[in-house]
Amino acid sequence: MVKVLKSRKKSGKVQYTTEETEDAVPQQSDPMTNLSFNLSLTDDQRRAKGNVVLPYMNVQQQDHTYHSIGTIYYEPDAGDDFDDEDPDEDLDI
C-alpha cells in the first residue's frame, strides 16, 4: 500500500512524498459480537419457523377457477361517529 504524505516547508513550498507500507489485511469485525440479544437461530427454532403457516399462504393455495369481485364487509362499531352534518358546510366551493 502506498501512502502519499503532504508537507509544507517554511517557505510555503508544498512537498509530496510517498511511503510504502506492508499490505495488511484489514480485519473485519463481527457485527454480532457484544450484542445484548441473540440474532442467530438454533436448528429447532429454524425448523419451527419453517413450519409456520403464514396467513397469505392459504389464499395463494386456494383454487381460483372462478372470478370473484372484491367485497368489503363493514360492521359498524359503537365508537363510529355518523353525523348528518356536513363538515365542509362552511366552505365556499
Side-chain angles (χ1 to χ4, degrees):
M1 181 174 181
V2 176
K3 285 186 180 179
V4 177
L5 303 173
K6 176 181 173 181
S7 59
R8 189 176 303 264
K9 294 189 175 190
K10 289 182 181 180
S11 63
K13 183 177 179 183
V14 177
Q15 185 177 9
Y16 294 97
T17 57
T18 58
E19 180 181 292
E20 289 191 32
T21 59
E22 292 182 22
D23 290 331
V25 177
Q27 294 181 357
Q28 294 182 358
S29 63
D30 186 12
M32 291 180 26
T33 56
N34 300 327
L35 293 178
S36 60
F37 50 91
N38 187 7
L39 290 177
S40 59
L41 296 175
T42 64
D43 290 334
D44 292 336
Q45 291 171 332
R46 194 169 284 116
R47 249 181 273 130
K49 180 182 171 188
N51 291 333
V52 171
V53 178
L54 300 174
Y56 58 84
M57 295 301 288
N58 290 338
V59 174
Q60 291 178 357
Q61 293 172 355
Q62 289 177 355
D63 184 22
H64 293 289
T65 56
Y66 59 91
H67 295 287
S68 63
I69 59 172
T71 305
I72 298 173
Y73 297 101
Y74 177 73
E75 295 180 19
D77 190 54
D80 291 342
D81 184 24
F82 290 110
D83 291 335
D84 291 332
E85 297 177 11
D86 183 10
D88 297 328
E89 185 176 317
D90 60 334
L91 299 178
D92 295 327
I93 297 178

